[in-house]
Amino acid sequence: MISARKACKIGVDEKGWKNMANAKFKRRSEIVRIVREKKQMSCVELSKTFGVTEETIRKDLQELSEKGELLRTFGGAMVREYGTERSLDQRIIQNLEQKKRIAQKAVSTLKSGDLVAMDAGSTVTMMAKAIPDHLKITVLTNSLEICNILSEKENVTVICTGGKLHKKSMSLQGMLTESTINSLNAEKAFISCAAFDIKLGVMDSNEEAARTKQSMIRNAREVYLLMDSSKIGCIAYITTCPASSITKVVTDNGAAAEAVKKMEDLGIEMILA
């Protein structure tokens, strides 16, 4: 948003600037109302509705996402529902470019011979796709999608936990899952979350998924939390673990400097993608 001083420099008087600011505020308020009503809207649809360019809508959605009003998706936005669990397909396209960068950074921490635990999160799934074929590691996972991805990588040994299938996330959960994880000691655990807050910790929207991650945390030497910056400062249904349980956070460079500093003050190493 341009300042009144800058507006004057480019030939817009104070009254005109106020009108521009009011129009932007009203448009964004209406965008939030429409997306909440429709549950999901594309940039193209919103552009036609408001008679502005798609670039303008993308800027609106980015700011609304940063404020926690909406969830940014690939090509549009959807309503933010903290107590609602979304499918893997829905989650993986949200903030896709950030997740790709986070995945590459996470992969760079892997070493040949590592035994690593990977949960069924969308960013962790992106990480599995980015593992190079030549890297010799063993992956313990409760994700059927990750098992499928890694089955095509010749040098990666895959250990599937077994357990009860949770269809929405295509993940395995329950006592059998936790028992398998508890029987092995991993060098690193890579976990995801639905939300993160310094005081409330790592949060999820599914209780059984949270217990699976708790097992991974207990049985790993280092715990890496992979999350895009839109999840910082948000709230979800259940706390998986306190922030102090995390060794390193891998997130995108959109994370607020204040949030980064608070995590570093807790002794968490921050890796920005």
Side-chain angles (χ1 to χ4, degrees):
M1 184 173 178
I2 62 173
S3 66
R5 181 177 296 177
K6 187 175 181 181
C8 290
K9 286 182 180 180
I10 61 175
V12 179
D13 60 20
E14 186 174 353
K15 184 178 179 181
W17 174 79
K18 287 182 178 178
N19 288 338
M20 289 167 58
N22 286 336
K24 182 181 289 186
F25 176 79
K26 288 178 181 178
R27 184 179 66 248
R28 289 180 176 176
S29 297
E30 191 65 9
I31 286 172
V32 172
R33 185 191 68 78
I34 291 173
V35 173
R36 285 178 177 171
E37 183 181 292
K38 302 287 187 181
K39 300 300 182 185
Q40 189 163 355
M41 290 285 283
S42 70
C43 287
V44 174
E45 290 170 326
L46 290 169
S47 173
K48 290 178 180 177
T49 299
F50 292 97
V52 295
T53 65
E54 289 180 40
E55 179 61 26
T56 296
I57 292 296
R58 280 192 285 270
K59 288 177 181 178
D60 288 342
L61 296 182
Q62 185 60 38
E63 289 201 22
L64 291 169
S65 174
E66 289 170 359
K67 290 178 180 178
E69 298 280 354
L70 301 171
L71 285 171
R72 190 80 169 85
T73 63
F74 185 67
M78 65 188 295
V79 66
R80 182 182 287 275
E81 298 175 307
Y82 294 116
T84 303
E85 188 178 7
R86 298 183 303 281
S87 70
L88 179 61
D89 286 343
Q90 287 176 317
R91 288 183 286 116
I92 210 160
I93 62 171
Q94 182 192 328
N95 298 319
L96 182 61
E97 291 307 313
Q98 291 94 322
K99 288 178 178 178
K100 286 180 179 178
R101 298 201 306 270
I102 293 166
Q104 289 291 345
K105 281 287 187 180
V107 166
S108 70
T109 69
L110 296 174
K111 297 178 181 178
S112 181
D114 273 351
L115 167 59
V116 301
M118 299 175 73
D119 78 2
S122 58
T123 309
V124 181
T125 302
M126 295 296 294
M127 177 188 174
K129 292 180 179 180
I131 294 174
D133 293 340
H134 65 81
L135 190 62
K136 292 185 178 181
I137 60 171
T138 299
V139 174
L140 168 66
T141 185
N142 67 316
S143 165
L144 292 186
E145 182 68 16
I146 289 177
C147 285
N148 185 48
I149 291 166
L150 297 181
S151 68
E152 298 180 5
K153 298 180 186 288
E154 187 177 348
N155 290 303
V156 178
T157 300
V158 182
I159 302 173
C160 186
T161 60
K164 180 179 66 177
L165 177 63
H166 183 265
K167 294 178 182 178
K168 210 164 194 179
S169 63
M170 292 304 290
S171 66
L172 300 167
Q173 301 175 354
M175 292 179 61
L176 179 58
T177 304
E178 294 161 35
S179 176
T180 302
I181 296 168
N182 291 336
S183 70
L184 295 168
N185 297 314
E187 290 291 329
K188 305 176 180 79
F190 294 90
I191 66 168
S192 57
C193 66
F196 176 86
D197 180 83
I198 289 291
K199 292 181 179 179
L200 296 175
V202 178
M203 289 168 277
D204 277 285
S205 55
N206 178 293
E207 194 170 346
E208 286 192 314
R211 286 202 299 268
T212 299
K213 293 174 190 184
Q214 288 164 358
S215 293
M216 290 183 175
I217 291 166
R218 282 195 302 269
N219 291 279
R221 183 174 294 177
E222 293 183 318
V223 180
Y224 290 70
L225 175 62
L226 276 53
M227 63 173 175
D228 65 78
S229 60
S230 71
K231 295 180 178 179
I232 300 173
C234 295
I235 298 173
Y237 174 65
I238 185 170
T239 294
T240 302
C241 67
S244 57
S245 295
I246 304 302
T247 311
K248 301 178 184 182
V249 168
V250 189
T251 188
D252 60 87
N253 55 18
E258 183 181 1
V260 171
K261 186 179 185 307
K262 285 181 179 179
M263 284 184 259
E264 289 176 333
D265 288 345
L266 280 177
I268 300 171
E269 182 179 335
M270 298 299 295
I271 302 174
L272 300 181

